DNA sequence: AATTTCAGTGAACACTTGTACACCAATGAG
DNA sequence: CTCATTGGTGTACAAGTGTTCACTGAAATT
């Protein structure tokens, strides 16, 4: 029944148990309020054994961010493969599915994005910036937007990422039953932005800056 | 020199000292990681005296939210008085001034908006919803938008509030010297939204929903 | 002038916390 | 087979935590 695990496999298992346990505890609390002993307890090991895996709780936090970001990148790759970047509804559907499948991770990421440990915050911010700039170049490839300046593309990409992020947060505090309304609102917001982009005059020559 | 304070005045003073001290400590940490004793120490009172003012740290947190929201409402009143709701640049200038004058409070609010204590989160969320709905009715009064449905108005208001919030966060982690770029981007985002609103066809009769 | 009210004190409590240290036992390399 | 490696254990300690309780002294009330 129990497969004979190698030592490395065992270690990886309890490392995963630490991360999973931490994520569970983080469902309704912040990383800063989480104690090493608590995490060790949920993983079923003694406090001092924690150090065999992480030098501190902060380090565990960074590992959690990396896991979460791996997941996000997977999602982005899927969205691109489906060429869904242009279709708001399709992109949102991918987002919703991903959020529902990884509530803990999304909750952790949106919770720690602003509050808490500096290093964790930095890691999340830089990854989101990457997202935004990738979306920006994607936008630049759309025929109607080839005239746009880089700054304008970035600006629009930021706006879109912002809508996605608030949608994630809204989804997390909305029951599955009522999620249609949230998605609907997000879709309309994205469409509004697209309408705005269609009517945007690129590089409006600074009308009499005082 | 020292005015003879009444007992109530004294009490109010140390209450303020507790709130101020807490806000200082919260400059780079989250509410959840703040201890009662620590706050009492910075306010210059003994731990047990804390209970004369708040039943718990959570209660102090809620008081901090109330203070912050008072400040935000003042700002909103000012913005309305100046009739700046329509002019993106003017609204942003008011926002920037307010953020610079109350960095601690804005930092606290944006940090605790998602992370940490449930009751604090709720208080912030409900206040922001209020903001959004007020802006929604303001938008409804604009001649060009009288045809819009309530849902569409809400959606647009949410979008605008979202831009304002991310601008606040960006400002907080940007030095005064570089804040022009942040404001510029925000202004363009708001203008993009307005262009989108101008071209929006209200209640688009569900184009062949598959 | 006598008495009540109450913000602030200080000692004590039962915990929890992070980390150091010596130790075990089984895996895996020689 | 032998022995170093290493994930996990148990004990220990100093420091910090929230909360209790009986108290003080001055301001406010009577």
């Amino acid at each position: 029944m129990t497969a004979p695990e190698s030592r490395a496999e065992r270690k990886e298992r309890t490392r995963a148990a630490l991360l999973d346990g931490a994520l569970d505890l983080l469902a309704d609390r912040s990383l800063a309020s989480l104690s090493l002993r608590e995490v060790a307890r949920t993983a079923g090991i003694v406090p001092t054994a924690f150090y065999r895996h992480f030098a501190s709780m902060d380090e565990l936090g960074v590992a959690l961010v990396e896991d979460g970001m791996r997941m996000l990148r997977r999602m982005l790759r899927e969205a691109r493969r489906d060429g869904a970047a242009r279709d708001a509804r399709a992109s949102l559907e991918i987002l919703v599915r991903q959020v529902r499948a990884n509530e803990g991770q999304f909750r952790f990421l949106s919770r720690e994005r602003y509050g808490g440990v500096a290093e964790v915050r930095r890691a999340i911010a830089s990854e989101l910036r990457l997202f935004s700039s990738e979306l920006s170049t994607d936008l630049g490839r759309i025929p109607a937007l080839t005239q746009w300046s880089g700054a304008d593309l970035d600006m629009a990409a930021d706006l879109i990422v912002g809508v996605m992020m608030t949608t994630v947060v809204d989804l997390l505090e909305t029951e599955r039953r009522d999620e249609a309304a949230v998605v609907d609102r997000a879709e309309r917001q994205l469409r509004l932005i697209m309408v705005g982009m269609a009517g945007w005059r690129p590089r409006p020559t600074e009308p009499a800056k005082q």
Side-chain angles (χ1 to χ4, degrees), chain A:
Chain A
M1 186 114 190
T2 31
E5 288 172 311
S6 80
R7 194 133 85 168
E9 285 169 335
R10 263 191 193 290
K11 177 164 185 180
E12 180 51 35
R13 273 225 313 174
T14 77
R15 191 191 129 104
L18 283 170
L19 291 171
D20 284 1
L23 216 52
D24 280 0
L25 292 171
L26 286 167
D28 49 357
R29 323 202 344 230
S30 67
L31 186 68
S33 73
L34 210 58
S35 80
L36 182 154
R37 289 178 107 104
E38 219 170 345
V39 175
R41 209 176 304 137
T42 67
I45 62 173
V46 94
T48 49
F50 178 95
Y51 294 106
R52 302 287 181 196
H53 303 270
F54 305 99
S56 65
M57 280 294 296
D58 286 15
E59 209 170 90
L60 178 142
V62 172
L64 277 177
V65 173
E66 280 165 5
D67 274 18
M69 287 310 176
R70 227 188 313 280
M71 181 266 295
L72 275 183
R73 272 192 290 269
R74 248 200 324 273
M75 179 184 78
L76 200 64
R77 214 177 312 132
E78 179 184 355
R80 285 195 160 181
R81 176 165 43 69
D82 298 5
R86 252 187 259 191
D87 184 346
R89 156 95 36 191
S91 304
L92 281 171
E93 262 165 19
I94 293 176
L95 185 71
V96 171
R97 195 169 349 115
Q98 202 76 356
V99 169
R100 287 312 178 195
N102 306 79
E103 298 217 355
Q105 303 211 56
F106 277 100
R107 191 161 270 129
F108 166 72
L109 289 175
S110 53
R111 182 161 303 196
E112 300 297 325
R113 182 180 174 195
Y114 299 128
V117 190
E119 202 168 352
V120 169
R121 230 167 35 215
R122 243 192 314 266
I124 296 177
S126 84
E127 204 75 19
L128 279 180
R129 229 173 297 125
L130 194 79
F131 269 42
S132 189
S133 77
E134 284 188 24
L135 176 56
S136 177
T137 67
D138 276 12
L139 289 177
R141 274 197 262 278
I142 295 179
L145 306 181
T146 47
Q147 305 277 44
W148 281 41
S149 71
D152 277 347
L153 288 172
D154 287 352
M155 172 279 277
D158 270 15
L159 199 51
I160 292 173
V161 171
V163 170
M164 294 291 194
M165 294 301 295
T166 66
T167 303
V168 168
V169 173
D170 285 354
L171 280 174
L172 287 175
E173 52 199 21
T174 302
E175 304 189 43
R176 260 188 184 74
R177 176 162 37 82
D178 304 327
E179 81 185 15
V182 173
V183 175
D184 214 68
R185 190 164 48 90
E187 191 194 349
R188 281 195 306 220
Q189 289 180 336
L190 290 177
R191 280 223 318 271
L192 181 71
I193 292 174
M194 286 172 183
V195 172
M197 288 169 75
W200 186 256
R201 40 185 185 126
R203 279 209 168 275
T205 43
E206 287 290 295
K209 186 172 185 178
Q210 68 275 29

